[in-house]
């Protein structure tokens, strides 16, 4: 699945493509950083995830 990554101030952080669907509380790594999902919302054909570094 393809996700738009946003911070808690709704600033665009990038895109991430993952094989498994994300849920609130899930952690994933991108560019040697670990993020935790704190929110998910649909934006047309993609999903936007709000993340915090963890």
């Amino acid at each position: 699945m393809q996700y738009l990554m946003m911070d808690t101030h709704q600033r665009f952080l990038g895109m991430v493509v993952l094989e498994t669907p994300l849920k609130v509380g899930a952690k994933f790594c991108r560019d040697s950083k670990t993020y935790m999902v704190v929110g998910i919302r649909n934006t047309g054909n993609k999903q936007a995830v709000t993340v915090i570094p963890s």
Side-chain angles (χ1 to χ4, degrees):
M1 296 192 80
Q2 192 172 27
Y3 297 96
L4 301 171
M5 289 178 32
M6 311 290 277
D7 68 7
T8 56
H9 299 285
Q10 297 305 303
R11 293 181 292 219
F12 179 70
L13 298 175
M15 301 273 304
V16 65
V17 177
L18 301 169
E19 292 182 20
T20 58
L22 289 175
K23 297 179 182 179
V24 173
K27 292 184 180 183
F28 65 94
C29 293
R30 181 176 182 262
D31 298 333
S32 69
K33 294 181 183 176
T34 302
Y35 296 96
M36 180 188 300
V37 177
V38 294
I40 299 174
R41 70 177 194 280
N42 289 326
T43 58
N45 61 347
K46 295 184 180 84
Q47 291 188 329
V49 293
T50 304
V51 297
I52 56 172
S54 63

